[in-house]
């Protein structure tokens, strides 16, 4: 019998007693990092981009090498306490998953320690993100060459331990090719410094009784004694057999030995990597990218080796599935001019061929030769080439690669329950075998009627293939081992590797077959020398010799096992949370990207779209296991009576209800909506967050600030009747203290004085009358513009709305201010969903009545105007009607603008609102074009979120974070300009700048008005 009340949700597992004892001991020790074992923290690292799920006992986040040593030393006293190191958590095969403890180096150990441009090396902590490093190296004309699609969140520690590589690997090699030295910590806390040593020195060290001596002795015994077998077994491929790399532990001439080469690719199964000294490479001065279009994917594959032979630096490929998905994504806006359609032909395969050169002449020569070949292929209809485009522009090249890097995410957007999955996705075969291999691979998948998209590094013979399966269906899950076995046999047939790029993880069970029994035994000896007690990522790659522990397998527990406990209707209703595939794009380190400000400021994986989606899924699962239908709760759920809610709330501190953890995770969300459009599978946190809040508060008391925010649209018009009086109160310190104490609200904004009503008294714009508008002729209506009010602009920035009235008049139109109708966005943000539905209906009814007039309706604040498009659609469905509210720039783009001469006074910096930039990615460009049309100049500034996000920044509990987010990207960017030259489209952004800098920037429409009038 389904329940109608939200029950308390006990979490299903607490850390085991030995782990609890370890955490207590760690807390008492010198350890200076963080120790977290809340259920939500553990869940946030229980998944990666793979199909597996393993709940760790807790997460420890060290701050230094010494912290890692303390962890190891202490763990020696705790039998069965095991670890897995973790960086970005972007593994595709469960590499970092463990039921032990996650040691996450990404939060604190992320400093670049030294850059030596003369000798071309850097020293970094393991948690440094690859793009972070390259941003720091760029001013020196250098870069860390091994590339990977996850470069904006994958860490150096993760790259070293998976021996990451990607685009350009033929020229730039793998990560291990660039490791000059490592500082590592062994499972018992021993510090290990490794760098290449001469064979003579190595032999001496091997004699020592030290830990290093033991390791070197084993490495020498294995790698020297078994050299012939190793060379015979390891494939002669660019993507050599990593984990453990017995071949490259010795130099080709056997003159040097390097322990780092064994650690590289070991997937955390040998040691914690704390710091790395890396070789860095000069950035090529000249680059060109040729995008070659084909009539089929097979044509693209078969053509690629010719490009390699023609000395291309790299050849990347995508098939038509990926291309078509990219066309529907926000990213296509950036690349559509660079990959134009071919007339009367369909582009079914694309090769992106990069050429680098030290001089422009050298580069042009290579490109001319290539073009001659391509032209002749086009003329003779050979090789399936149907067109090509060249770009020499670095920014454009970056855009194309950003599209290619997003491929996996794009595939994840596939509609339906079957989702593309990583489990055989990084096969590598000698490039000359690739096309034949892929044809057989396709046949294998086609025989099972599976859909898939393909893309990858054709130059290295590595292709990414993700078959789509519904892991909630046990029958489909059962296909995983079968397909894995068949693909494993197929790569062996073509002389390749099952793990051409991403490492082994749960595929470690295939390691004995790939290494052969003799060499696999050697791996186990090496593991025993490093980690005799099997504490480091147990089950991955191999087990210590003489141990009876087992390897992880592809048949192990998967996420589907948990997800399928949630009934289908609930899964469908919360699809955005279910669809998160853990690729980690929402951890983007770049502070100027809009993606998840709360993740950036907290460095806490719980407070990211991924963390929130994971918490949501678990909440749904726990509810389902209690026979609670969330869909029913939403519609018929009973809000418990006041006394019950008060009682529940008072007992909150004592209760283990998991809903509190979910609330905490949702509370940090700014509802900026960046995830809704930037996440490749559109994990829309604000929507499920609002739904969660609406249900949570059926059981618990709401904080007073929620009522304040939820009712702001009702209160503001009333307060605006006597702005001077209200402001006089708000200016009092005691009043601010009182508001902060009682409602938890800070820096309450002052109302506009004189009010909008006063400013427009007697003005034609204030005379709305539907009947008169209906009576107008079409020509008369064509001169009118309806202004849709929002509470923030109308009551707190009346001057801006007055300026809009003036601008419309100045452009030859007649503005009419519509009566204020609440929009409902603040109610939605706080999860007053029933109230929001009713507000939205009233507002939509009103606006639909006006729509037939055919008069443009425009609004100023992006977040509220966009609410009409997104949240209204979701809540009202068909009944939303067809009314359209345009943003100011959208309306301006439809009319003729007067031409004016340009002047130096009319140059501005543009700070877009993040909801607007992500939902309407061309908005910055459009404002720029509009300014140009009237002789003004606008430079869009690359910034992330301002930290205000509606009322988030006004809530005392978020104040520090709000200011911290501002400091991430806005502070420095704003400091570069005079405030009079700064334009911002968001009310929140303008308020945040005003509160922090003391001066309020203007809206672009105000600058345009000043220029035109
Ligand atoms: C969409 C997508 C695209 C990808 N594309 C590529 C690609 O182009 N090329 C490529 O090579 N890979 C790719 N990968 C795989 C993945 O991004 C890489 O393996 C990356 O190197 C992992 O880095 P991370 O920081 O996320 O490591 P994690 O996933 O956190 O960890 C990976 C492994 O390294 C170990 N580890 C992490 N840090 C340490 C440390 N400090 N000490 C010891 N062990 C540690 C972990 O225990 C684990 O075994 C892709 C993944 C995704 C989701
Ligand atoms: S929320 Fe989106 S971007 Fe983040 S891990 Fe999930 S799918 Fe990837
Ligand atoms: S709405 Fe913004 S803050 Fe919230 S999860 Fe999405 S990106 Fe992060």
């Amino acid at each position: 019998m389904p329940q109608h009340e939200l029950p308390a949700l006990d979490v299903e597992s607490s850390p085991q007693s030995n782990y609890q004892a370890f955490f207590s001991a760690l807390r008492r020790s010198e350890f200076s990092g963080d120790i977290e074992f809340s259920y939500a923290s553990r869940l946030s690292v229980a998944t990666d981009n793979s199909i597996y799920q393993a709940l760790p006992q807790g997460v420890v986040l060290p701050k230094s090498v010494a912290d890692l040593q303390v962890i190891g030393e202490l763990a020696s006293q705790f039998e069965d306490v095991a670890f897995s190191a973790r960086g970005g958590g972007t593994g595709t095969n469960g590499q970092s998953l463990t039921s032990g403890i996650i040691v996450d180096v990404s939060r604190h150990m992320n400093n670049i320690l030294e850059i030596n441009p003369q000798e071309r090396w850097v020293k970094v902590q393991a948690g440094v993100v690859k793009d972070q490093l390259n941003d720091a190296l760029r001013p020196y004309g250098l870069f860390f060459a091994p590339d990977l699609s996850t470069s904006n969140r994958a860490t150096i520690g993760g790259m070293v331990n998976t021996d990451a590589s990607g685009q350009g690997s033929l020229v730039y090699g793998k990560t291990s090719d660039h490791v000059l030295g490592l500082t590592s910590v062994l499972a018992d806390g021993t510090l290990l410094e490794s760098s290449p040593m001469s064979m003579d020195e190595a032999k001496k060290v091997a004699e020592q009784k030290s830990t290093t001596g033991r390791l070197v002795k084993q490495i020498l015994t294995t790698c020297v004694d078994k050299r012939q077998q190793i060379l015979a077994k390891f494939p002669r491929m660019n993507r050599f057999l990593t984990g453990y790399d017995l071949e490259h532990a010795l130099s080709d001439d056997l003159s040097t030995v390097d322990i780092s080469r064994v650690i590289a690719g070991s997937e955390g199964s040998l040691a914690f990597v704390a710091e790395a000294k890396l070789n860095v490479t000069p950035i090529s001065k000249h680059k060109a990218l040729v995008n070659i279009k084909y009539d089929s994917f097979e044509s693209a594959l078969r053509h690629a080796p010719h490009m390699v032979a023609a000395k291309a630096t790299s050849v990347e490929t995508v098939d038509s599935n990926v291309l078509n998905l990219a066309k529907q994504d926000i990213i296509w806006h950036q690349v559509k001019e660079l990959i134009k359609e071919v007339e009367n032909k369909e582009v079914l395969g694309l090769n992106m061929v990069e050429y680098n050169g030290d001089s422009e002449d050298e580069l042009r020569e290579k490109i001319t030769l290539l073009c001659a070949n391509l032209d002749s292929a086009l003329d003779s209809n050979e090789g399936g080439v149907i067109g090509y485009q060249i770009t020499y522009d670095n920014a454009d090249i970056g855009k194309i690669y950003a599209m290619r890097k997003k491929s996996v995410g794009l595939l994840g957007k596939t509609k339906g329950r079957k989702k593309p999955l990583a489990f055989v996705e990084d096969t590598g075969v000698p490039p000359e075998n690739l096309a034949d291999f892929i044809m057989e691979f396709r046949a294998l998948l086609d025989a099972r009627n599976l859909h898939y998209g393909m893309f990858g590094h054709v130059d290295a013979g590595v292709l990414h293939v993700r078959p789509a399966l519904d892991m909630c269906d046990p029958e489909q899950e059962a296909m995983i081992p079968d397909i894995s076995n068949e693909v494993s046999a197929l790569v062996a047939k073509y002389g390749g590797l099952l793990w051409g790029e991403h490492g082994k993880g749960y595929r470690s069970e295939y390691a004995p077959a790939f290494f052969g029994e003799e060499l696999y035994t050697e791996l186990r000896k090496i593991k025993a020398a490093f980690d005799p007690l099997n504490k480091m990522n147990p089950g991955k790659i191999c087990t210590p010799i003489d141990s009876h522990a087992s390897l992880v397998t592809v048949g192990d527990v998967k996420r589907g096992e948990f997800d399928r406990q949630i009934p289908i209707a609930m899964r469908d209703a919360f699809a955005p949370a279910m669809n998160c595939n853990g690729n980690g794009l929402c951890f983007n380190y770049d502070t100027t990207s809009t993606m998840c400000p709360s993740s950036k400021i907290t460095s806490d994986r719980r407070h990211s779209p991924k963390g929130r989606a994971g918490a949501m899924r678990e909440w749904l699962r726990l509810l389902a296991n209690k026979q609670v239908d969330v869909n029913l709760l939403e519609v018929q759920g009973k809000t418990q009576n006041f006394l019950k809610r008060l009682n529940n709330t008072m007992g909150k501190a004592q209760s283990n209800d998991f809903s509190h953890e979910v609330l905490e995770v949702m509370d940090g969300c700014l509802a900026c909506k960046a995830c809704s459009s930037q996440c490749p599978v559109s994990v829309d946190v604000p929507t499920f967050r609002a739904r969660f809040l609406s249900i949570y508060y059926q059981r618990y008391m709401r904080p007073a600030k929620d009522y304040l925010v939820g009712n702001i649209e009702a209160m503001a018009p009333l307060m605006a009747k006597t702005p001077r009086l209200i402001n006089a109160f708000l200016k009092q310190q005691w009043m601010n203290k009182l508001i902060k104490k009682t409602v938890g609200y800070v820096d309450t904004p002052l109302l506009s004085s004189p009010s909008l009503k006063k400013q427009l008294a007697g003005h034609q714009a204030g005379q709305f009358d539907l009947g008169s508008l209906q009576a107008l002729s079409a020509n008369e209506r064509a001169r009118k513009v309806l202004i849709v009010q929002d509470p923030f602009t109308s009551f707190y920035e009346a001057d801006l709305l007055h300026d809009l009235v003036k601008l419309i008049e100045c452009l030859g139109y007649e503005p009419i201010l519509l009566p204020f109708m609440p929009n409902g966005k603040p109610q939605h943000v706080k999860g007053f969903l029933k109230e929001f539905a009713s507000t939205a209906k009233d507002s939509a009814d009103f606006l639909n009545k006006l729509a037939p007039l055919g008069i443009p309706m425009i609004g100023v604040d992006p977040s509220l105007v966009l609410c009409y498009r997104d949240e209204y659609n979701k809540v009202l469905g068909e009944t939303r009607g067809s009314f359209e509210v345009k943003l100011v720039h959208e309306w301006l783009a439809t009319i003729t603008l007067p031409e004016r001469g340009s002047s130096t006074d009319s140059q501005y910096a543009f700070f877009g609102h993040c909801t607007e930039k992500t939902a309407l990615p061309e908005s910055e460009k459009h404002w720029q074009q509009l300014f140009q049309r009237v002789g003004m100049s606008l430079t869009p500034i690359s910034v992330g979120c301002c930290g205000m996000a509606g009322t988030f920044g006004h809530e005392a509990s978020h104040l520090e974070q709000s200011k911290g987010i501002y400091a991430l990207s806005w502070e420095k960017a704003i400091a570069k300009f005079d405030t009079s030259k700064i334009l911002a489209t968001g009310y929140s952004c303008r308020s945040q700048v005003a509160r922090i800098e003391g001066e309020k920037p203007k809206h672009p429409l105000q600058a345009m008005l000043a220029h035109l009038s």
Side-chain angles (χ1 to χ4, degrees):
M1 181 67 183
Q3 287 198 42
H4 285 155
E5 280 193 358
L6 176 69
L9 293 172
D10 291 339
V11 296
E12 285 185 348
S13 98
S14 315
Q16 292 162 10
S17 54
N18 55 336
Y19 281 95
Q20 290 192 14
F22 175 78
F23 292 135
S24 304
L26 195 60
R27 208 175 289 120
R28 289 192 303 269
S29 73
E30 306 278 281
F31 182 73
S32 67
D34 306 331
I35 306 168
E36 297 174 355
F37 44 84
S38 73
Y39 198 48
S41 297
R42 294 160 67 202
L43 276 171
S44 70
V45 288
T47 52
D48 56 1
N49 184 227
S50 72
I51 50 181
Y52 303 96
Q53 177 160 338
L55 186 69
Q57 305 296 319
V59 193
V60 295
L61 304 110
K63 288 189 171 163
S64 63
V65 182
D67 276 349
L68 284 169
Q69 287 181 274
V70 174
I71 294 171
E73 281 159 14
L74 210 56
S76 313
Q77 301 162 26
F78 290 84
E79 213 186 318
D80 295 338
V81 164
F83 304 97
S84 176
R86 188 165 167 125
T90 62
T92 56
N93 297 289
Q95 283 89 340
S96 63
L97 305 187
T98 181
S99 56
I101 297 173
I102 292 283
V103 178
D104 185 341
V105 298
S106 68
R107 184 182 295 173
H108 299 299
M109 295 183 66
N110 51 20
N111 297 307
I112 296 170
L113 303 172
E114 192 178 349
I115 299 180
N116 187 325
Q118 288 77 32
E119 294 173 22
R120 289 192 189 152
W121 56 259
V122 287
K123 197 151 190 230
V124 297
Q125 288 185 309
V128 163
V129 169
K130 144 96 179 165
D131 279 358
Q132 174 194 355
L133 175 57
N134 279 348
D135 286 349
L137 288 170
R138 199 165 296 113
Y140 302 97
L142 297 169
F143 78 123
F144 180 53
D147 197 13
L148 77 178
S149 303
T150 44
S151 57
N152 59 17
R153 66 264 195 207
T155 59
I156 298 299
M159 288 184 74
V160 169
N161 274 276
T162 53
D163 203 1
S165 61
Q167 188 239 325
S169 66
L170 288 194
V171 176
Y172 297 124
K174 289 167 69 81
T175 301
S176 59
D177 295 321
H178 299 269
V179 173
L180 299 175
L182 294 177
T183 301
S184 309
V185 174
L186 301 186
D188 63 359
T190 306
L191 189 69
L192 176 73
E193 299 283 357
S194 57
S195 57
M197 55 181 122
S198 72
M199 185 56 91
D200 288 345
E201 192 189 342
K203 283 181 181 158
K204 275 191 213 135
V205 175
E207 307 270 295
Q208 294 169 7
K209 290 272 170 277
S210 65
T211 308
T212 318
R214 188 180 75 219
L215 301 183
V216 173
K217 188 171 178 190
Q218 183 58 55
I219 290 171
L220 285 183
T221 311
T222 298
C223 300
V224 175
D225 295 358
K226 305 278 178 187
R227 188 70 179 166
Q228 290 317 315
Q229 293 91 319
I230 292 169
L231 291 181
K233 190 63 155 182
F234 280 45
R236 307 290 96 212
M237 281 171 57
N238 161 263
R239 305 305 177 91
F240 41 77
L241 193 50
T242 55
Y244 310 133
D245 184 4
L246 306 182
E247 180 179 350
H248 298 96
L250 306 184
S251 58
D252 288 347
D253 60 2
L254 304 189
S255 63
T256 55
V257 181
D258 191 357
I259 306 181
S260 307
R261 291 298 297 228
V262 179
I263 295 174
S266 68
E267 298 180 17
S269 69
L270 298 180
F272 299 120
V273 171
E275 292 171 6
K277 185 176 171 189
L278 306 165
N279 162 52
V280 290
T281 309
I283 298 172
S284 271
K285 291 205 179 71
H286 303 278
K287 277 186 187 176
L289 190 73
V290 187
N291 297 314
I292 311 179
K293 302 159 200 179
Y294 299 88
D295 62 358
S296 75
F297 187 47
E298 185 175 353
S299 300
L301 294 180
R302 295 211 181 274
H303 198 215
H306 301 287
M307 306 293 110
V308 178
K311 299 259 177 300
T313 308
S314 78
V315 188
E316 296 287 293
T317 195
V318 293
D319 75 359
S320 56
N321 281 339
V322 174
L323 266 181
N324 288 335
L325 286 164
K327 284 178 191 168
Q328 290 149 35
D329 189 80
I330 185 172
I331 197 123
W332 195 251
H333 296 283
Q334 299 183 10
V335 297
K336 63 183 178 202
E337 289 307 312
L338 306 165
I339 315 173
K340 288 186 187 147
E341 300 292 344
V342 180
E343 218 179 310
N344 300 326
K345 300 240 166 81
E346 202 182 344
V347 183
L348 294 175
L350 178 77
N351 278 342
M352 291 149 274
V353 186
E354 182 177 324
Y355 280 87
N356 291 350
D358 283 335
S359 76
E360 199 171 340
D361 289 349
E362 177 199 338
L363 185 67
R364 299 253 173 205
E365 204 176 298
K366 287 183 195 164
I367 298 292
T368 310
L369 205 65
L370 174 72
C371 293
N373 288 336
L374 292 175
D375 288 338
S376 105
L378 278 171
D379 289 345
S380 56
N381 258 340
E382 262 175 37
V385 178
I386 56 172
Y388 68 90
Q389 279 174 263
I390 307 168
T391 173
Y392 292 90
D393 182 85
N394 274 349
D396 284 345
I397 294 174
K399 286 176 193 164
I400 295 278
Y401 283 140
M403 186 273 289
R404 151 64 191 87
K405 283 185 176 184
K406 210 176 177 188
S407 302
V408 177
L410 294 171
L411 284 169
K413 239 180 189 156
T414 309
K415 295 211 166 63
R417 297 207 175 92
K418 292 183 181 178
K419 297 293 173 195
L421 302 175
F423 61 103
V424 285
E425 99 286 24
D426 57 334
T427 53
V429 296
E432 59 278 14
N433 297 345
L434 185 63
D436 291 330
F437 165 73
I438 287 298
M439 292 308 120
E440 274 202 60
F441 196 165
R442 286 184 128 180
L444 183 160
L445 300 174
D446 292 342
R448 289 183 166 86
N449 280 326
L450 297 177
H451 290 282
Y452 49 86
M454 293 189 170
F455 57 93
H457 323 287
V458 263
D459 49 3
V462 173
L463 219 61
H464 298 303
V465 184
R466 294 195 168 199
L469 291 165
D470 175 7
M471 293 300 279
C472 290
D473 173 357
E475 280 182 25
Q476 295 187 48
E477 183 186 315
M479 285 190 208
I480 301 271
D482 293 348
I483 298 174
S484 302
N485 288 342
E486 286 177 38
V487 174
S488 164
L490 195 63
V491 276
K493 174 179 164 188
Y494 282 96
L497 294 169
L498 187 58
W499 38 79
E501 192 166 273
H502 300 176
K504 300 174 187 63
Y506 281 75
R507 303 181 297 185
S508 294
E509 64 168 303
Y510 294 100
F514 274 82
F515 284 90
E517 201 186 326
E518 185 180 5
L519 292 184
Y520 186 68
T521 304
E522 295 303 317
L523 296 192
R524 298 187 68 196
K525 289 181 190 164
I526 289 178
K527 167 82 176 172
F530 276 86
D531 178 28
L533 300 177
N534 203 20
K535 282 175 173 287
M536 303 297 290
N537 214 355
K540 308 285 167 57
I541 300 198
C542 68
T543 53
I545 196 89
D546 298 331
S547 109
H548 297 292
S550 44
L551 286 175
V552 287
T553 73
V554 293
D556 282 356
V557 178
K558 304 193 177 56
R559 200 183 112 184
E561 193 160 318
F562 302 94
D563 288 357
R564 76 173 70 108
Q565 294 170 29
I566 306 168
I568 290 184
M570 269 160 75
R571 266 186 257 150
D572 286 349
F574 286 83
M578 301 305 302
N579 288 346
C580 167
N581 61 28
N583 67 68
L585 190 71
C586 49
F587 306 152
N588 187 345
Y589 110 96
D590 180 3
T591 51
T592 64
S593 91
T594 43
M595 189 47 124
C596 204
S598 84
S599 173
K600 286 196 177 94
I601 194 66
T602 59
S603 302
D604 184 332
R605 301 298 192 206
R606 287 178 306 153
H607 292 286
S608 67
K610 180 186 170 185
R612 295 186 172 111
M616 196 67 201
R617 285 197 305 276
E618 185 61 3
W619 188 70
L620 295 174
R621 188 183 77 86
L622 294 177
L623 283 173
N625 288 346
K626 285 212 163 206
Q627 313 297 316
V628 180
D629 181 341
V630 178
N631 295 339
L632 218 62
L633 266 192
E634 264 190 312
V635 187
Q636 299 173 11
K638 274 199 281 175
T639 300
Q640 301 182 7
N641 69 40
F642 177 79
L643 282 180
K644 259 180 141 183
R645 277 185 290 135
L646 186 66
N647 197 29
N648 292 339
T649 308
M650 307 247 294
K652 199 169 149 179
Q654 286 78 47
S655 115
N656 271 335
D657 187 352
F658 178 58
S659 295
H660 302 324
E661 289 196 43
V662 183
L663 178 74
E664 191 191 338
V665 161
M666 299 300 173
D667 183 58
C669 168
L670 289 88
C672 69
K673 289 180 77 79
C675 50
S676 324
S677 49
Q678 300 273 294
C679 158
V681 297
S682 308
V683 165
D684 176 3
V685 175
T687 300
F688 65 68
R689 171 186 181 270
R691 295 170 72 183
F692 166 80
L693 294 177
S694 78
I695 297 172
Y696 178 86
Y697 288 118
Q698 290 176 6
R699 184 179 168 84
Y700 296 101
M701 301 285 289
R702 273 187 177 276
K705 68 175 181 328
D706 281 22
Y707 292 104
L708 180 78
V709 176
N711 289 311
I712 189 92
E713 293 191 280
M715 284 156 42
L718 297 178
M719 294 190 303
K721 288 183 194 297
T722 52
R724 291 206 351 232
L725 180 70
I726 303 278
N727 287 349
F729 275 110
L730 290 177
K731 281 178 190 162
Q732 304 299 319
Q733 249 193 2
W734 63 266
M735 188 64 180
N736 276 296
K737 280 192 187 148
L738 187 70
I739 295 175
K740 185 176 174 190
K741 202 155 185 237
T742 51
V743 195
Y745 212 70
V746 289
D747 302 330
T748 313
L750 298 180
L751 293 154
S752 297
S753 181
S755 68
L756 184 64
K757 198 169 171 200
K758 280 234 165 94
Q759 293 194 33
L760 291 182
H763 193 289
Q764 184 73 17
Q767 316 297 316
F768 168 76
D769 176 37
L770 181 57
S772 321
L773 287 174
Q774 283 166 333
L776 295 177
S777 70
N779 275 349
E780 284 166 326
R781 280 188 218 157
R783 304 308 314 159
K784 308 264 180 206
V785 178
L786 302 177
I787 299 175
V788 180
Q789 299 193 54
D790 70 75
F792 304 115
T793 322
S794 289
F795 305 117
Y796 295 92
E797 286 193 321
D799 289 352
L800 168 55
L801 219 58
H802 195 179
D803 282 345
L804 175 61
V805 166
K806 291 183 201 158
L807 178 68
I808 294 170
E809 286 174 332
C810 163
L811 295 170
Y813 292 82
E814 295 160 28
I816 296 173
L817 196 67
L818 293 177
F820 174 75
M821 289 288 287
N823 165 291
K825 173 89 182 178
Q827 292 170 326
H828 187 273
V829 168
K830 289 294 173 195
F832 291 102
L833 289 188
K834 287 192 179 129
E835 292 79 354
F836 171 66
S838 145
T839 306
K841 177 153 188 334
D842 291 349
S843 198
D845 285 350
F846 174 66
L847 294 168
N848 278 320
K849 241 189 253 165
L850 301 171
L853 294 171
I855 304 176
M857 294 193 264
I858 62 173
V860 177
D861 195 69
S863 123
L864 280 95
V865 169
L866 292 169
C867 180
Y868 293 125
R869 302 184 194 175
D870 187 8
E871 284 85 352
Y872 271 44
N873 260 329
K874 284 183 182 133
V875 72
L876 300 175
E878 298 275 291
T879 61
R880 182 208 174 270
S882 57
F883 76 87
E884 190 193 2
V885 180
K886 285 185 162 66
L887 277 161
V888 175
H889 73 273
E890 292 174 317
W891 173 68
L892 289 172
T894 64
I895 62 167
T896 310
L897 294 175
E899 282 177 27
R900 293 278 196 282
S902 56
S903 75
T904 43
D905 274 358
S906 52
Q907 293 176 352
Y908 293 92
F910 181 84
F911 288 71
H913 184 280
C914 50
T915 308
E916 180 182 27
K917 279 194 290 189
T918 51
L920 305 173
E922 309 235 19
S923 54
E924 288 179 331
K925 198 165 89 193
H926 288 160
W927 268 116
Q928 211 176 7
Q929 288 165 347
L930 290 167
F931 268 46
Q932 259 165 17
R933 275 168 58 193
V934 295
M936 300 170 74
S937 145
L938 192 66
T939 309
I941 307 298
S942 207
V943 281
C945 174
C946 72
M948 180 56 89
T951 55
F952 179 91
H954 285 300
E955 295 177 18
S957 55
H958 295 142
L959 182 63
E960 209 179 308
Q961 282 192 3
S962 169
K963 291 187 172 171
I965 293 170
Y966 181 83
L968 287 179
S969 67
W970 278 64
E971 193 172 86
K972 274 200 205 111
I974 289 280
K976 289 187 189 145
F977 305 94
D978 188 280
T979 316
S980 65
K981 292 290 157 195
I982 295 171
L983 303 177
T985 45
Y987 165 77
S988 300
C989 318
R990 291 188 297 274
S991 308
Q992 180 78 318
V993 177
R995 142 166 114 172
I996 293 173
E997 312 291 347
E999 276 183 285
K1000 196 170 206 169
K1002 292 210 175 315
H1003 188 283
L1005 78 84
Q1006 293 175 297
M1008 191 180 264
L1009 173 67
H1011 181 73
L1012 294 178
S1013 51

